[in-house]
Amino acid sequence: MSCRVLRAYPIRVLTYEWRLGNKLLRTGQFDSQEYTEYPVKSLSNENYGVYNCSIINEAGAGRCSFLVTGKAYAPEFYYDTYNPVWQNRHRVYSYSLQWTQMNPDAVDRIVAYRLGIRQAGQQRWWEQEIKINGNIQKGELITYNLTELIKPEAYEVRLTPLTKFGEGDSTIRVIKYSAPVNPHLREFHCGFEDGNICLFTQDDTDNFDWTKQSTATRNTKYTPNTGPNADRSGSKEGFYMYIETSRPRLEGEKARLLSPVFSIAPKNPYGPTNTAYCFSFFYHMYGQHIGVLNVYLRLKGQTTIENPLWSSSGNKGQRWNEAHVNIYPITSFQLIFEGIRGPGIEGDIAIDDVSIAEGECAKQDLTTKNSVDGAVGILVHIWLFPVIVLISILSPRR
């Protein structure tokens, strides 16, 4: 580090001081030279800090400062990847963590990152090292896959760069679970925990909307004797979707919730597929004024024709029930939940944990679950093309 002085005339006596913080390192007097230098021969944690060079005469002092450190800058998390969460298994999920390194050439080469992760609200951090091979380029996007995360829990993630001189500056972010919508459907699960409710949307043609709710955050003036007292898992903090049937709602009014559009991957390139999917969900219908819960299947290109999948009505008690239905879509499709208001205010209907998995449902689920709940389960084989052809053949000609 070099500190140069511009002399004035007449020449005054000048002295200098080098300090690291408040520690005096060197002092002296300018003779014929117009600068002073201070070397750091071996960089270590003890040498990090702000070095001040002060030039002093009888009128006062001038100062120049140097920040010396071997610590790497903090990494910067990348938030723009669309839906970086993907499905792994029913109870766990994975997350594609992405970041760039701020000013990677400012210090010695980053050899690794220390990754810390903990469940939101917990104290203990679990740590591991992510090795880095070669030099990181400025703007380079680095990816690391986090696995075995428990649905639908949120996690704090801490990332610290490491050089041969030690730890750099850390950065922290929170990751939250949101159900993915895969380009080709293999598995889908939604517990309505994320902000965008798994890309479900409200139908613009109905009378009122479904509402995201949890027992812990619901209005204290809620209608008693109807609606869930926890989400499907038993958590009072967990969320679900429900229809609020108190005034000004009227009997027969409908609220419709539309799923994202799911694409299926044809197995036969020369014709449609008959891939089976097991569609399941939990529903809650408690109250003396419970109306009707309907589920429809809408295929791509059918904006007005909706195929009934499942229906249930009446009071089912203060409990969550589960429904399973096989579907056989031949093209992209949507699922529609339709709640119909009953004759009074004690008629709240709720749904939670909507799942779609490739393959047919287990037979015991199809036969026992619906019969116990009193629901009308309809096994729908959606092979509409042959049906449409048959109707056209039987129609009388003019």
Side-chain angles (χ1 to χ4, degrees):
M1 291 169 285
S2 177
C3 188
R4 185 175 297 275
V5 62
L6 297 177
R7 287 185 176 272
Y9 292 94
I11 297 175
R12 303 292 185 182
V13 175
L14 298 175
T15 59
Y16 62 84
E17 289 182 353
W18 283 95
R19 290 179 180 269
L20 174 57
N22 294 322
K23 180 182 178 181
L24 180 63
L25 302 174
R26 180 184 294 175
T27 185
Q29 184 173 316
F30 285 102
D31 296 321
S32 58
Q33 81 276 17
E34 296 182 349
Y35 64 92
T36 176
E37 292 181 337
Y38 186 83
V40 178
K41 296 181 179 180
S42 179
L43 191 63
S44 64
N45 290 338
E46 291 76 19
N47 304 131
Y48 295 168
V50 177
Y51 289 76
N52 292 310
C53 173
S54 298
I55 309 298
I56 307 164
N57 65 12
E58 65 270 22
R63 176 182 296 173
C64 55
S65 300
F66 305 84
L67 172 62
V68 178
T69 180
K71 295 175 62 177
Y73 285 90
E76 298 177 305
F77 283 116
Y78 187 72
Y79 292 89
D80 295 336
T81 303
Y82 172 72
N83 198 19
V85 183
W86 76 88
Q87 195 80 12
N88 192 3
R89 297 194 303 274
H90 184 62
R91 294 297 178 186
V92 300
Y93 69 100
S94 303
Y95 199 97
S96 182
L97 191 69
Q98 295 183 306
W99 70 93
T100 57
Q101 177 60 45
M102 184 190 302
N103 298 327
D105 298 327
V107 295
D108 201 74
R109 185 177 77 85
I110 294 172
V111 296
Y113 286 92
R114 178 172 293 121
L115 173 68
I117 185 169
R118 68 181 178 185
Q119 193 171 311
Q122 301 296 319
Q123 297 297 320
R124 183 176 180 180
W125 289 91
W126 297 93
E127 293 188 332
Q128 66 182 97
E129 284 194 4
I130 305 171
K131 299 294 184 183
I132 300 296
N133 297 319
N135 295 324
I136 299 174
Q137 304 301 315
K138 186 173 183 178
E140 178 182 347
L141 191 62
I142 306 168
T143 300
Y144 184 80
N145 294 331
L146 303 175
T147 60
E148 302 298 320
L149 306 178
I150 306 301
K151 298 177 186 175
E153 302 297 337
Y155 290 84
E156 283 185 276
V157 177
R158 180 178 64 196
L159 204 58
T160 307
L162 305 176
T163 69
K164 66 179 181 181
F165 298 109
E167 295 185 354
D169 293 327
S170 300
T171 189
I172 296 178
R173 69 164 295 185
V174 175
I175 59 173
K176 297 181 179 179
Y177 173 75
S178 62
V181 179
N182 299 317
H184 298 298
L185 180 63
R186 290 288 180 265
E187 186 179 6
F188 171 83
H189 178 78
C190 179
F192 302 109
E193 301 297 331
D194 62 333
N196 63 7
I197 57 173
C198 314
L199 302 183
F200 276 76
T201 55
Q202 308 285 352
D203 192 340
D204 294 334
T205 65
D206 57 8
N207 306 112
F208 65 108
D209 288 342
W210 287 77
T211 303
K212 181 179 175 180
Q213 177 76 292
S214 76
T215 305
T217 60
R218 69 183 175 186
N219 194 315
T220 55
K221 298 180 180 180
Y222 70 93
T223 305
N225 303 318
T226 188
N229 54 18
D231 77 348
R232 196 281 304 174
S233 68
S235 169
K236 295 187 181 299
E237 286 75 30
F239 289 92
Y240 51 85
M241 298 296 291
Y242 88 112
I243 61 169
E244 173 58 64
T245 57
S246 56
R247 297 178 179 85
R249 302 276 68 87
L250 301 175
E251 183 175 3
E253 288 188 336
K254 298 178 180 179
R256 289 160 59 87
L257 188 67
L258 311 180
S259 79
V261 175
F262 298 106
S263 297
I264 61 174
K267 293 182 178 179
N268 179 4
Y270 303 103
T273 179
N274 59 351
T275 301
Y277 294 96
C278 178
F279 161 55
S280 64
F281 62 96
F282 285 82
Y283 61 97
H284 193 284
M285 302 174 71
Y286 168 57
Q288 62 177 333
H289 302 136
I290 291 292
V292 182
L293 176 61
N294 296 319
V295 183
Y296 298 95
L297 181 74
R298 177 189 290 172
L299 296 183
K300 181 181 179 182
Q302 298 182 3
T303 56
T304 57
I305 301 175
E306 294 170 357
N307 308 285
L309 285 183
W310 183 94
S311 183
S312 185
S313 61
N315 187 358
K316 300 293 185 291
Q318 179 56 279
R319 68 180 184 273
W320 286 96
N321 304 295
E322 189 175 8
H324 290 78
V325 182
N326 285 329
I327 58 175
Y328 302 83
I330 59 173
T331 184
S332 301
F333 66 95
Q334 272 183 299
L335 294 163
I336 302 170
F337 289 91
E338 179 183 75
I340 303 178
R341 202 258 198 188
I345 63 174
E346 295 181 9
D348 294 355
I349 297 173
I351 60 171
D352 200 3
D353 284 358
V354 178
S355 296
I356 304 172
E358 193 172 27
E360 292 186 338
C361 304
K363 289 185 177 180
Q364 62 268 26
D365 291 332
L366 291 169
T367 55
T368 61
K369 293 290 184 181
N370 288 339
S371 60
V372 170
D373 300 339
V376 179
I378 307 170
L379 267 67
V380 180
H381 292 242
I382 308 297
W383 291 316
L384 291 183
F385 178 75
V387 176
I388 294 170
V389 172
L390 181 59
I391 291 173
S392 64
I393 293 174
L394 295 178
S395 300
R397 295 187 179 181
R398 296 187 178 183

